[in-house]
Amino acid sequence: MGDRGDLTDAQWKRLEPLLPVSNGRCGRWRDHRQVVNGVLYRIRTGVHWRDLPERYGPWKTVHQRHRRWSADGTWERLLRRIQAEADAAGEIDWDVSVDSTSVRAHHHAAGARYAPPPAIKGGSAQAVRAARVWAELIDRPAEVVREEALGRACGGFTTKIHLSADGRCRVLSLVITPGQCADRTQFEAVMDRICVPRLACGRLRTKPDSVGADKGYSNRRTRRYLRRGGIRHVIPEKADQAANRVRRGSSGGRPPGFDKDRYKKRNTVERAINKLKAFRAVATRFDKRGYVYLGTATAAALVIWLHS
C-alpha cells in the first residue's frame, strides 16, 4: 500500500525518462520509483532515515541515493527539466520575486567532519561538475569548499535559504548560506542561478520580466545589477536612504521608480516559502552536510512543480 505523498503514475511518467540508468558494470540500481518515494517520504515527514517504512526498501539505499543525487546535481537537473517543460507550455509567470527565510538547524546537523561530496572523488566529468555546482552554491572556489552553511543568528543555530519564485509561487532558484548572512549579499547569486533550459534549441532563459524584493535588497549594487541586465524592478527605498538623497539635493539623484501594484505581487515568494516549509525536513534542518540539505530543499521544490 502506497503513501499519500508518493508520486502518482502521471508524475512518475514525467520523471522516469530523466533519471540515471545503470551502466551495467556496477550492478543494477534498485527500483528508482521505490527509492524516490522513500526520499520524498522522509523530506515530507522529517523522520530519521532508519525509521523509513519497509515498503521503500533498505533505508541505507534510500539515504545513499539521496546523498549521491544531491552531490552530482541530479535533483537540480530534474528541477530544471520540469521548469523547461512548464516554460515551453507558457506556464511560468516571469514576474519574479526574491526573498530569504531562516531555518532552525537541529543539533543533529552539527559536527560533520569536512569531506568533499562523494561524487567529487575522482576525475570523471560528473565528479568535476559536482565540485563546480557545490562551489557555486556557496560562492567558494571548488578546491576550498569547507562551508556547511551553518551559522549563528537571532534564531540560534540556523541556515538561511535565499530563493527566487515565479508568479505562481514556485521556486526558480535556491542558494543556502549560514544563518547570519545578509540578504543583499546573495541577491546576485540567486538571480544568476535562474536558468531554465529550452526544450527546443535556444539559449537558457535567465532574464525575468521583472523582479520584486523588499527593503533588505535596497542598495546601489543591486539596482546597478538589475539596470545592467535591463530588468525592471520594484524595490522600496529605505527611509535613511531617501533622507540622505534629499539632504544631498540635486547631487543625490532622482528617487527610484516604485510601482505599488507590482509590489503587491511580492507575496508570491512568501507563499513559495510557505509551500517549501510544509516539508518538515526543509523547515528544520537535520542534514549535517550542506550539499545534502540543498538537495533536500531542491527535491521539495521539484515536488511543488510536479503538483502544480
Side-chain angles (χ1 to χ4, degrees), residues 289-303:
R289 303 303 309 277
Y291 73 91
V292 177
Y293 180 69
L294 180 67
T296 297
T298 304
L302 172 64
V303 173

Side-chain angles (χ1 to χ4, degrees), residues 121-171:
K121 298 174 183 177
S124 66
Q126 186 181 38
V128 172
R129 184 183 183 280
R132 185 171 63 252
V133 167
W134 178 235
E136 289 174 355
L137 294 174
I138 63 170
D139 195 22
R140 295 284 197 281
E143 63 272 16
V144 295
V145 173
R146 295 178 182 271
E147 183 64 77
E148 297 299 345
L150 288 169
R152 296 285 180 179
C154 295
F157 199 40
T158 55
T159 292
K160 185 174 280 190
I161 302 177
H162 306 261
L163 70 155
S164 63
D166 77 335
R168 297 183 61 185
C169 311
R170 299 171 299 187
V171 174

Side-chain angles (χ1 to χ4, degrees), residues 9-10 12 18 61 69 80 106 144 150 171 173 179 183 239 254 269 285:
D9 291 339
W12 175 245
L18 311 177
T61 299
W69 286 0
R80 294 283 179 256
H106 195 273
V144 295
L150 288 169
V171 174
S173 61
D183 293 356
R254 296 177 298 176
V269 70
R285 174 175 170 175

Side-chain angles (χ1 to χ4, degrees), residues 36-85:
V36 170
N37 282 333
V39 172
L40 299 183
Y41 178 89
R42 185 263 174 178
I43 293 174
R44 184 172 60 83
T45 62
V47 300
H48 290 282
W49 287 105
R50 292 177 182 269
D51 294 333
L52 279 177
E54 294 182 359
R55 63 177 174 272
Y56 298 120
W59 71 267
K60 196 169 185 178
T61 299
V62 181
H63 179 222
Q64 290 179 344
R65 190 81 55 88
H66 179 53
R67 286 179 54 211
R68 177 177 296 182
W69 286 0
S70 298
D72 66 13
T74 296
W75 290 122
E76 184 183 7
R77 289 196 295 274
L78 293 175
L79 178 61
R80 294 283 179 256
R81 177 69 181 196
I82 297 302
Q83 290 174 343
E85 293 177 359

Side-chain angles (χ1 to χ4, degrees), residues 269-287:
V269 70
E270 305 287 354
R271 290 152 61 193
I273 290 172
N274 287 341
K275 288 184 177 183
L276 203 59
K277 283 191 168 183
F279 295 85
R280 295 190 175 188
V282 176
T284 301
R285 174 175 170 175
F286 300 102
D287 301 310

